[in-house]
């Protein structure tokens, strides 16, 4: 797998089967190409995650839906997932701006849990949970083993539930799912 830092215009045009002149008619450079592709794919992923959360019966089921969507994305499209989740961390300019927007959207959706919690989680809870999930997914993708993300889902679910609803409630929810 070629990461963003090793990606060249030559590699892009070879894989896309286009000429160098067409590439430069469409994009200013490699960074512009990646930024536009990243923005499109990140928007698509965020839309699927948020829609799945909103269609769920409650926040906890929404979390499950989002985690399942991320797992499917990682396993079904590991190269694309790697670009959107892991390689975007190496981006510059507009990629970093878009990544910040993506994380803010996911953090806001995650923060909805505080409205449903008697545990009184602090405002840092949502960025913490989003960061833990993103970090676990990026790690699995960078290692070339997206299935490791799936293996870690119970722990990530527990972390999220314990952060928002307390460890006792998280354990009770996990026990109910068994």
């Amino acid at each position: 797998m070629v990461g963003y830092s090793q990606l060249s215009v030559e590699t892009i045009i070879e894989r896309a089967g286009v000429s160098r002149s067409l590439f430069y008619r469409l994009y200013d450079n490699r960074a512009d190409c990646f930024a536009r592709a990243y923005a499109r794919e990140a928007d698509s992923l965020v839309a699927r995650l948020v829609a799945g959360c909103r269609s769920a019966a409650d926040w906890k089921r929404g979390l499950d839906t989002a985690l399942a969507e991320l797992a499917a994305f990682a396993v079904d499209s590991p190269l694309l997932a790697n670009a959107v989740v892991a390689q975007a961390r190496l981006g510059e300019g507009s990629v970093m701006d878009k990544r910040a927007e993506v994380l803010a959207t996911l953090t806001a959706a995650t923060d909805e849990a505080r409205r449903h919690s008697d545990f009184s989680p602090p405002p840092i809870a949502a960025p913490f949970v989003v960061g833990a999930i993103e970090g676990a997914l990026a790690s699995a993708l960078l290692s070339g083993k997206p299935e490791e993300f799936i293996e870690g889902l119970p722990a990530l679910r527990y972390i999220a539930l314990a952060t928002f609803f307390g460890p006792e409630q998280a354990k009770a929810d996990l026990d109910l799912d068994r």
Side-chain angles (χ1 to χ4, degrees), residues 48-144:
R48 291 193 313 267
L49 294 174
V50 171
C53 289
R54 288 188 178 145
S55 68
D58 58 34
W59 187 89
K60 294 173 186 177
R61 298 300 157 233
L63 172 67
D64 294 342
T65 300
L67 290 173
E69 178 65 36
L70 284 174
F73 181 54
V75 171
D76 296 344
S77 305
L79 293 176
L80 184 56
N82 185 21
V84 171
V85 177
Q87 298 300 315
R89 294 172 166 201
L90 305 173
E92 44 200 54
S94 63
V95 171
M96 295 309 288
D97 293 343
K98 184 64 177 181
R99 183 171 179 270
E101 177 188 317
V102 163
L103 292 175
T105 299
L106 296 175
T107 298
T110 303
D111 199 47
E112 286 294 311
R114 288 190 321 131
R115 294 183 332 138
H116 307 287
S117 175
D118 296 330
F119 187 65
S120 299
I124 193 72
F128 169 75
V129 169
V130 170
I133 294 168
E134 187 215 16
L137 181 54
S139 178
L141 292 166
L142 287 170
S143 73

